[in-house]
């Protein structure tokens, strides 16, 4: 396996990679959800470059940057098992040299709602690191999980608005057998919290049933049903809401024929662990 640790090495790795190249950006602590991105990437590209970088600029000082799970040896073994042979693994100083003047990327409209409202620094940090990584690797494709739904919309907007010649591909959410979406943060859950965590999926399914089967058109009724399920399982809710699938703005009414359906999104805390999940509803491309 070829491992690049510096930007110079990453550029050399990229320049000797022929054909169409896909980049898979991650913060490591890999699970089957990340590995499914590899199969998705090979549907589009001849070669895949994988990066592992826990990005400090998307964490607030009170968040879990220091304790974020890091299992490099395990990650590299998993990557080798799914056919990855090129990995970029820079240090923080390599990506953010202390002498650099930091450049902020603002994401108006999408940054002050949902995740952006609860984690105001988050999307600026994500856009900043991805702009760097896209410039370093210059991939034809970049693959992201749909679990971070708002992040996927923002990255798509970033690439479109800055005219980067990169196709952003969203890959389906991968779930455990009881419905919990795979996440590197699931390891924080105690045994008891893990049994309650499946309520996220139950709440999303309830939203789907209400809209698709019962014909509910009032977003407030759907949101209230999601809140009831989450509260019954000890979740402290940041948001549990039904939104327009692209603008992520609130809806007055759920129109069954709304192009692309609607998206139900949840962010909630179970003990000290914050989990997010989502589901596209009433669209021909359902995540069920
Ligand atoms: O989704 C993630 O793991 C991170 O936000 C990303 C896209 C790798 C940027 O640090």
């Amino acid at each position: 396996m070829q491992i690049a640790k510096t930007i110079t090495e990453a550029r050399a790795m990229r320049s000797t990679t022929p054909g169409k190249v896909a980049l898979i950006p991650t913060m490591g602590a890999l699970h089957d959800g990340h590995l499914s991105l590899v199969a998705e990437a090979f549907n589009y590209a001849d070669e895949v470059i994988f990066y592992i970088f826990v990005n400090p600029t998307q964490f607030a000082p009170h968040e879990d940057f220091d304790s974020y799970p890091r299992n490099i040896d395990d990650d590299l073994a998993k990557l080798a098992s799914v056919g990855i042979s090129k990995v970029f693994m820079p240090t923080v100083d390599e990506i953010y040299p202390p002498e650099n003047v930091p450049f902020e990327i603002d994401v108006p409209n999408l940054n002050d709602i949902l995740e952006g409202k609860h984690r105001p620094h988050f999307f600026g940090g994500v856009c900043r690191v991805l702009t760097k990584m896209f410039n370093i690797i210059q991939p034809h494709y970049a693959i992201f999980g749909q679990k971070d739904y708002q992040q996927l919309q923002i990255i798509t907007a970033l690439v479109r608005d800055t005219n980067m010649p990169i196709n952003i591909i969203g890959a389906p959410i991968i779930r455990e057998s009881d419905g919990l979406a795979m996440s590197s943060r699931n390891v924080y859950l105690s045994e008891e919290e893990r049994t309650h965590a499946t309520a996220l999926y139950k709440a999303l399914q309830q939203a789907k049933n209400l809209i698709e089967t019962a014909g509910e058109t009032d977003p407030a009724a759907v949101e209230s049903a999601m809140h009831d399920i989450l509260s019954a399982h000890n979740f402290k809710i940041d948001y549990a809401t039904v939104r327009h699938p692209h603008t992520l703005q609130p809806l007055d009414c759920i129109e069954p024929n709304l192009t692309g359906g609607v998206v139900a999104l949840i962010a909630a805390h179970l003990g000290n662990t914050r989990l997010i999940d989502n589901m596209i509803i009433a669209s021909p491309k359902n995540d069920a």
Side-chain angles (χ1 to χ4, degrees), residues 25-27 34 51 53 55 58 68 122 126 129-130 144 148 151 155:
T26 75
M27 299 206 299
H34 294 113
Y51 93 60
F53 179 68
N55 173 37
Q58 67 192 72
Y68 194 84
F122 179 72
V126 169
V129 77
L130 289 177
F144 297 88
D148 294 284
Q151 172 175 275
I155 297 165

PDB file of all heavy atoms in Angstrom, residues 25-27 34 51 53 55 58 68 122 126 129-130 144 148 151 155, ligand 1:
ATOM      1  N   PRO A  25     -12.874  11.077   1.198  1.00  0.00           N
ATOM      2  CA  PRO A  25     -12.400  11.804   2.384  1.00  0.00           C
ATOM      3  C   PRO A  25     -13.013  11.201   3.654  1.00  0.00           C
ATOM      4  O   PRO A  25     -14.225  10.990   3.712  1.00  0.00           O
ATOM      5  CB  PRO A  25     -12.939  13.221   2.175  1.00  0.00           C
ATOM      6  CG  PRO A  25     -13.402  13.282   0.754  1.00  0.00           C
ATOM      7  CD  PRO A  25     -13.819  11.884   0.415  1.00  0.00           C
ATOM      8  N   THR A  26     -12.187  10.918   4.657  1.00  0.00           N
ATOM      9  CA  THR A  26     -12.716  10.406   5.931  1.00  0.00           C
ATOM     10  C   THR A  26     -11.865  10.922   7.092  1.00  0.00           C
ATOM     11  O   THR A  26     -10.763  11.419   6.889  1.00  0.00           O
ATOM     12  CB  THR A  26     -12.687   8.856   6.017  1.00  0.00           C
ATOM     13  OG1 THR A  26     -11.339   8.434   6.238  1.00  0.00           O
ATOM     14  CG2 THR A  26     -13.245   8.193   4.787  1.00  0.00           C
ATOM     15  N   MET A  27     -12.400  10.710   8.284  1.00  0.00           N
ATOM     16  CA  MET A  27     -11.626  11.005   9.491  1.00  0.00           C
ATOM     17  C   MET A  27     -11.188   9.699  10.157  1.00  0.00           C
ATOM     18  O   MET A  27     -10.856   9.685  11.340  1.00  0.00           O
ATOM     19  CB  MET A  27     -12.449  11.869  10.445  1.00  0.00           C
ATOM     20  CG  MET A  27     -12.839  13.208   9.807  1.00  0.00           C
ATOM     21  SD  MET A  27     -13.130  14.527  10.973  1.00  0.00           S
ATOM     22  CE  MET A  27     -14.476  13.877  11.917  1.00  0.00           C
ATOM     23  N   HIS A  34     -18.004   3.290   5.756  1.00  0.00           N
ATOM     24  CA  HIS A  34     -16.887   3.859   4.977  1.00  0.00           C
ATOM     25  C   HIS A  34     -16.466   2.899   3.869  1.00  0.00           C
ATOM     26  O   HIS A  34     -16.192   3.319   2.738  1.00  0.00           O
ATOM     27  CB  HIS A  34     -15.663   4.092   5.867  1.00  0.00           C
ATOM     28  CG  HIS A  34     -15.850   5.132   6.923  1.00  0.00           C
ATOM     29  ND1 HIS A  34     -15.861   4.836   8.261  1.00  0.00           N
ATOM     30  CD2 HIS A  34     -16.009   6.478   6.830  1.00  0.00           C
ATOM     31  CE1 HIS A  34     -16.023   5.942   8.962  1.00  0.00           C
ATOM     32  NE2 HIS A  34     -16.112   6.956   8.117  1.00  0.00           N
ATOM     33  N   TYR A  51      -8.470   9.244   1.917  1.00  0.00           N
ATOM     34  CA  TYR A  51      -7.706  10.010   2.901  1.00  0.00           C
ATOM     35  C   TYR A  51      -8.280   9.854   4.296  1.00  0.00           C
ATOM     36  O   TYR A  51      -9.480   9.705   4.482  1.00  0.00           O
ATOM     37  CB  TYR A  51      -7.481  11.465   2.483  1.00  0.00           C
ATOM     38  CG  TYR A  51      -8.457  12.536   2.943  1.00  0.00           C
ATOM     39  CD1 TYR A  51      -8.683  12.813   4.286  1.00  0.00           C
ATOM     40  CD2 TYR A  51      -9.108  13.339   2.010  1.00  0.00           C
ATOM     41  CE1 TYR A  51      -9.546  13.808   4.689  1.00  0.00           C
ATOM     42  CE2 TYR A  51      -9.975  14.338   2.401  1.00  0.00           C
ATOM     43  CZ  TYR A  51     -10.193  14.561   3.747  1.00  0.00           C
ATOM     44  OH  TYR A  51     -11.051  15.546   4.139  1.00  0.00           O
ATOM     45  N   PHE A  53      -7.960  11.888   7.862  1.00  0.00           N
ATOM     46  CA  PHE A  53      -7.456  13.100   8.512  1.00  0.00           C
ATOM     47  C   PHE A  53      -8.529  13.609   9.467  1.00  0.00           C
ATOM     48  O   PHE A  53      -9.621  14.011   9.023  1.00  0.00           O
ATOM     49  CB  PHE A  53      -7.124  14.175   7.459  1.00  0.00           C
ATOM     50  CG  PHE A  53      -6.623  15.467   8.049  1.00  0.00           C
ATOM     51  CD1 PHE A  53      -5.388  15.522   8.684  1.00  0.00           C
ATOM     52  CD2 PHE A  53      -7.382  16.629   7.978  1.00  0.00           C
ATOM     53  CE1 PHE A  53      -4.912  16.708   9.245  1.00  0.00           C
ATOM     54  CE2 PHE A  53      -6.929  17.827   8.529  1.00  0.00           C
ATOM     55  CZ  PHE A  53      -5.686  17.862   9.157  1.00  0.00           C
ATOM     56  N   ASN A  55      -9.984  16.276  11.154  1.00  0.00           N
ATOM     57  CA  ASN A  55      -9.830  17.692  10.819  1.00  0.00           C
ATOM     58  C   ASN A  55     -10.165  18.601  12.001  1.00  0.00           C
ATOM     59  O   ASN A  55     -11.340  18.748  12.358  1.00  0.00           O
ATOM     60  CB  ASN A  55     -10.769  18.007   9.638  1.00  0.00           C
ATOM     61  CG  ASN A  55     -10.794  19.488   9.326  1.00  0.00           C
ATOM     62  OD1 ASN A  55      -9.762  20.164   9.426  1.00  0.00           O
ATOM     63  ND2 ASN A  55     -11.962  19.992   8.963  1.00  0.00           N
ATOM     64  N   GLN A  58     -13.114  21.537  12.159  1.00  0.00           N
ATOM     65  CA  GLN A  58     -14.560  21.330  12.202  1.00  0.00           C
ATOM     66  C   GLN A  58     -15.052  20.951  13.604  1.00  0.00           C
ATOM     67  O   GLN A  58     -16.224  20.631  13.769  1.00  0.00           O
ATOM     68  CB  GLN A  58     -15.000  20.297  11.157  1.00  0.00           C
ATOM     69  CG  GLN A  58     -14.527  18.877  11.401  1.00  0.00           C
ATOM     70  CD  GLN A  58     -14.747  17.981  10.180  1.00  0.00           C
ATOM     71  OE1 GLN A  58     -14.067  18.093   9.168  1.00  0.00           O
ATOM     72  NE2 GLN A  58     -15.715  17.097  10.265  1.00  0.00           N
ATOM     73  N   TYR A  68     -11.593  11.746  19.636  1.00  0.00           N
ATOM     74  CA  TYR A  68     -12.186  11.126  18.447  1.00  0.00           C
ATOM     75  C   TYR A  68     -11.439   9.815  18.162  1.00  0.00           C
ATOM     76  O   TYR A  68     -10.206   9.791  18.170  1.00  0.00           O
ATOM     77  CB  TYR A  68     -12.091  12.069  17.239  1.00  0.00           C
ATOM     78  CG  TYR A  68     -12.976  11.616  16.092  1.00  0.00           C
ATOM     79  CD1 TYR A  68     -14.324  11.946  16.066  1.00  0.00           C
ATOM     80  CD2 TYR A  68     -12.467  10.823  15.066  1.00  0.00           C
ATOM     81  CE1 TYR A  68     -15.150  11.505  15.052  1.00  0.00           C
ATOM     82  CE2 TYR A  68     -13.290  10.381  14.045  1.00  0.00           C
ATOM     83  CZ  TYR A  68     -14.636  10.732  14.042  1.00  0.00           C
ATOM     84  OH  TYR A  68     -15.452  10.279  13.022  1.00  0.00           O
ATOM     85  N   PHE A 122     -18.763  24.139  12.211  1.00  0.00           N
ATOM     86  CA  PHE A 122     -18.577  22.838  11.568  1.00  0.00           C
ATOM     87  C   PHE A 122     -18.413  22.930  10.043  1.00  0.00           C
ATOM     88  O   PHE A 122     -17.417  22.451   9.476  1.00  0.00           O
ATOM     89  CB  PHE A 122     -19.757  21.922  11.937  1.00  0.00           C
ATOM     90  CG  PHE A 122     -19.674  20.554  11.297  1.00  0.00           C
ATOM     91  CD1 PHE A 122     -18.745  19.626  11.738  1.00  0.00           C
ATOM     92  CD2 PHE A 122     -20.522  20.197  10.270  1.00  0.00           C
ATOM     93  CE1 PHE A 122     -18.659  18.358  11.167  1.00  0.00           C
ATOM     94  CE2 PHE A 122     -20.434  18.939   9.688  1.00  0.00           C
ATOM     95  CZ  PHE A 122     -19.507  18.025  10.135  1.00  0.00           C
ATOM     96  N   VAL A 126     -15.320  22.016   7.511  1.00  0.00           N
ATOM     97  CA  VAL A 126     -15.415  20.956   6.494  1.00  0.00           C
ATOM     98  C   VAL A 126     -15.068  21.525   5.115  1.00  0.00           C
ATOM     99  O   VAL A 126     -14.284  20.936   4.355  1.00  0.00           O
ATOM    100  CB  VAL A 126     -16.842  20.339   6.480  1.00  0.00           C
ATOM    101  CG1 VAL A 126     -17.043  19.441   5.267  1.00  0.00           C
ATOM    102  CG2 VAL A 126     -17.096  19.553   7.771  1.00  0.00           C
ATOM    103  N   VAL A 129     -11.214  22.228   4.830  1.00  0.00           N
ATOM    104  CA  VAL A 129     -10.332  21.066   4.640  1.00  0.00           C
ATOM    105  C   VAL A 129     -10.577  20.430   3.270  1.00  0.00           C
ATOM    106  O   VAL A 129      -9.636  19.998   2.589  1.00  0.00           O
ATOM    107  CB  VAL A 129     -10.477  20.043   5.793  1.00  0.00           C
ATOM    108  CG1 VAL A 129     -11.745  19.206   5.681  1.00  0.00           C
ATOM    109  CG2 VAL A 129      -9.267  19.118   5.830  1.00  0.00           C
ATOM    110  N   LEU A 130     -11.840  20.401   2.832  1.00  0.00           N
ATOM    111  CA  LEU A 130     -12.103  19.747   1.541  1.00  0.00           C
ATOM    112  C   LEU A 130     -11.560  20.583   0.377  1.00  0.00           C
ATOM    113  O   LEU A 130     -11.069  20.030  -0.619  1.00  0.00           O
ATOM    114  CB  LEU A 130     -13.595  19.484   1.367  1.00  0.00           C
ATOM    115  CG  LEU A 130     -14.138  18.376   2.277  1.00  0.00           C
ATOM    116  CD1 LEU A 130     -15.645  18.224   2.095  1.00  0.00           C
ATOM    117  CD2 LEU A 130     -13.449  17.031   2.021  1.00  0.00           C
ATOM    118  N   PHE A 144     -19.126  10.705  -0.778  1.00  0.00           N
ATOM    119  CA  PHE A 144     -19.507  11.005   0.613  1.00  0.00           C
ATOM    120  C   PHE A 144     -20.761  10.211   0.976  1.00  0.00           C
ATOM    121  O   PHE A 144     -21.635  10.010   0.133  1.00  0.00           O
ATOM    122  CB  PHE A 144     -19.833  12.502   0.776  1.00  0.00           C
ATOM    123  CG  PHE A 144     -18.654  13.386   0.510  1.00  0.00           C
ATOM    124  CD1 PHE A 144     -18.380  13.836  -0.765  1.00  0.00           C
ATOM    125  CD2 PHE A 144     -17.794  13.748   1.539  1.00  0.00           C
ATOM    126  CE1 PHE A 144     -17.275  14.640  -1.027  1.00  0.00           C
ATOM    127  CE2 PHE A 144     -16.695  14.544   1.299  1.00  0.00           C
ATOM    128  CZ  PHE A 144     -16.436  14.992   0.011  1.00  0.00           C
ATOM    129  N   ASP A 148     -24.443  12.056   6.384  1.00  0.00           N
ATOM    130  CA  ASP A 148     -24.212  13.474   6.682  1.00  0.00           C
ATOM    131  C   ASP A 148     -24.885  14.279   5.575  1.00  0.00           C
ATOM    132  O   ASP A 148     -24.239  14.824   4.681  1.00  0.00           O
ATOM    133  CB  ASP A 148     -22.708  13.751   6.741  1.00  0.00           C
ATOM    134  CG  ASP A 148     -22.067  13.040   7.914  1.00  0.00           C
ATOM    135  OD1 ASP A 148     -22.225  13.506   9.039  1.00  0.00           O
ATOM    136  OD2 ASP A 148     -21.444  11.986   7.696  1.00  0.00           O
ATOM    137  N   GLN A 151     -24.156  18.026   5.116  1.00  0.00           N
ATOM    138  CA  GLN A 151     -22.770  18.146   4.640  1.00  0.00           C
ATOM    139  C   GLN A 151     -22.704  17.859   3.138  1.00  0.00           C
ATOM    140  O   GLN A 151     -22.044  18.581   2.376  1.00  0.00           O
ATOM    141  CB  GLN A 151     -21.883  17.155   5.411  1.00  0.00           C
ATOM    142  CG  GLN A 151     -20.480  17.042   4.875  1.00  0.00           C
ATOM    143  CD  GLN A 151     -19.583  16.152   5.728  1.00  0.00           C
ATOM    144  OE1 GLN A 151     -19.012  16.626   6.701  1.00  0.00           O
ATOM    145  NE2 GLN A 151     -19.447  14.887   5.375  1.00  0.00           N
ATOM    146  N   ILE A 155     -21.312  20.447   0.381  1.00  0.00           N
ATOM    147  CA  ILE A 155     -20.144  20.142  -0.461  1.00  0.00           C
ATOM    148  C   ILE A 155     -20.533  20.262  -1.938  1.00  0.00           C
ATOM    149  O   ILE A 155     -19.765  20.780  -2.761  1.00  0.00           O
ATOM    150  CB  ILE A 155     -19.593  18.732  -0.147  1.00  0.00           C
ATOM    151  CG1 ILE A 155     -19.099  18.670   1.299  1.00  0.00           C
ATOM    152  CG2 ILE A 155     -18.483  18.355  -1.112  1.00  0.00           C
ATOM    153  CD1 ILE A 155     -18.881  17.266   1.820  1.00  0.00           C
TER     154      ILE A 155
HETATM  155  O1  LIG B   1     -17.716  13.344   7.084  1.00  0.00           O
HETATM  156  C1  LIG B   1     -16.550  13.388   7.531  1.00  0.00           C
HETATM  157  O2  LIG B   1     -16.000  12.387   7.983  1.00  0.00           O
HETATM  158  C2  LIG B   1     -15.804  14.715   7.550  1.00  0.00           C
HETATM  159  O3  LIG B   1     -16.673  15.778   7.803  1.00  0.00           O
HETATM  160  C3  LIG B   1     -15.009  14.972   6.252  1.00  0.00           C
HETATM  161  C4  LIG B   1     -15.917  15.078   5.051  1.00  0.00           C
HETATM  162  C5  LIG B   1     -14.001  13.839   6.044  1.00  0.00           C
HETATM  163  C6  LIG B   1     -14.234  16.298   6.370  1.00  0.00           C
HETATM  164  O4  LIG B   1     -13.360  16.296   7.445  1.00  0.00           O
END
